[in-house]
Amino acid sequence: MTAPDEKKPTAPDRREFLARCGQVALGGLFVIKCTPALADLVASDGADDIPEWAYAVDTTKCIGCGACMRACRAENNVPESQFRTWVERYEIRGDHAVRIDIASDENNATFLSNATPAAEAKDGRVKAFFVPKLCNHCETSVCVQVCPVGATFRTKDGVVLVDPEHCVGCGYCVQACPYSTRFINKETHTADKCTLCYHRITKGLLPACVQSCPVGARIFGNVKDPDSEISRVLRERRYTLLKPELGTNPRCYYIGLDMEVV
Amino acid sequence: MFEFVFPNDLNVTWSVMIVLYPYITGLVAGAFIVSSLYHLFGQEALKPVARFSLASAFVFLIFAPLPLLIHLGHPERAFNIMITPNFQSAMAGFGYIYTAYLIVVAIEVWLVVREDLIARARGTGPIALLCRAALLFNVRSTEATRAADHRAAKFLAGLGIPMACLLHGYVGFLFGSLKANPWWSTPLMLIIFIFSAIVSGISILVFHYMTISRINGWKLDRPCVRTMGKFLWGFMIIAVSLELLEVMSVAYKQTEEWEIIGKLIGDKLFWSYIVLQYLVFSLIPFFLLAANALFKLRLKVSNTVVFIAASMLLVQVILMRWNVIIGGQMLSKSGRGFTSYVPGIFEKEGLITAAIIFTAPFLILYLFHRVVPLFPVEAMQKKTA
Ligand code: SF4
Ligand code: SF4
């Protein structure tokens, strides 16, 4: 639009003007669409240095103490009755009756009152275990797909994040996540969920939940590094994924899961 | 067995506002289709309500985004959806589809009422000036301009039908494409939404037209009411059958999902879904409208029958929206439990706000009518005793 016209037509040609408007509009769209892609290109320079974070939960180790829940709440200012991570308690009787509730994180004792009465095992035998839950940082994440404004995105190092400055708070991602790990934060009115403590891991620290687990049930690390604990665990142990049939490709691996776990 | 809810599922994220939004766009799509039945498909019997239905579609369309805005956590960022759209997301289309459709409907309304605006613009005073401005200060009216307006309006009526279906079908798609939720996730959702929209659109027109006529003591146009009743019957059969077929296929397949969906329908939604939505508000209007379409009823009887059926179907569609949207969120993604939801009355997204948003279009329609009549003169004749 700015280039001076050498021919200097006496009257502005309407058709030409419209065509130019169209070009400018298309150009604008191109810029809008290309900015993130360009940023990606820049970021992927020297891709080998970029870690690939993954998470594993060893359900055979978890003792349901809830230290992780408290650590997460404190570290990330998670409002009361909303959860970036939680620990489920399963009790399975001999006749397959299942009782599930949430291990208390003390700030949120409400959940225990929602629990069903303890399963009565006639023969007194009950299989019981704990399953910590958090965002799975899915590789083909539904939440990234459905966010209408692109506020939810997946970083090059494999973490799904929300830009709280850009999120409009529509809640579509909350509905779309099959694992219910998202919520609309009561205080910020934007989508919120586990970030793997991105502010910590990018400085070489562990996520708060991993750091605080007294038994090492939560394992985190770079799968590109063959010597990392996570690489070793994934090499040596048998694991499964949550709701694999939905095609979300979670990057959170569960060790020792029972079929009753949802 | 059925009592474990994921902790973040205890709160329902999409509230009454999100029930209201598809209800209103449904009315828009339905009312628009009625107007097109006349303008495009030559359903002469619908002439008395042709302009009224177009104006209703327009006015409801203006209010459609309001519940969405109220619901957003950050309404001030609403335009992000058009500035930085993520086209992978079905929702990203909303801004564009809505705007395009609004423009089409607005121009069609303008073309249809131009003659009346010209008549009003001839006088003096603020209203005349307003009308002149609305006409872009072009008050010429000849045989040729009228014919051109008519052609253009017809073209837009045609263009508007796929757009109306898109605007509303896309809401259905938005729910139907969420694989995380077994109560929503079905490709049929899109079609179900379109047909229920048409049902609600015709119903609101019947309800509103008959109420206005009653208040003003106008003579009701009998063929018009009967035709609308017939269309309503046809469309409601399709809508309700589709809704039923969807549930029946899930029930028959007896997949893992049925375990929880069966519980949802049979227990949590028993009253609002089975009893109210189907047994009361679908079955009764079905018989009433069948009577209207198949028998030669006495004038008064048939009018009453259509009126009651339309009023009931208005409730049926809102029940359907409620059962889909709230019902879907009562179901925890754990697949093992339900949460509950009771709408607030005074809160930001509560029932009073919903009532205000729903009443506003009627007031605007009234003002509209004060400037440009919504009905042709024939339709506004007083009943001679
Ligand atoms: S678990 Fe949910 S929020 Fe996390 S990446 Fe997967 S879909 Fe997104
Ligand atoms: S709530 Fe925010 S992050 Fe989630 S889909 Fe809406 S805009 Fe995107």
Side-chain angles (χ1 to χ4, degrees), chain A residues 146 166-167 174 180 243 260, chain B residues 9 77 84 86 89 333 336:
Chain A
V146 302
H166 200 67
C167 166
V174 176
S180 293
K243 304 193 185 186
E260 292 293 351
Chain B
D9 284 344
R77 298 181 191 161
T84 59
N86 164 25
S89 163
K333 287 172 197 148
R336 288 173 180 267

Side-chain angles (χ1 to χ4, degrees), chain A residues 135-138 141-143 160 177-179 181-182 193:
Chain A
C135 167
N136 292 276
H137 297 274
C138 311
S141 12
V142 216
C143 55
V160 175
C177 170
Y179 310 98
T181 62
R182 286 182 167 246
K193 65 165 196 76

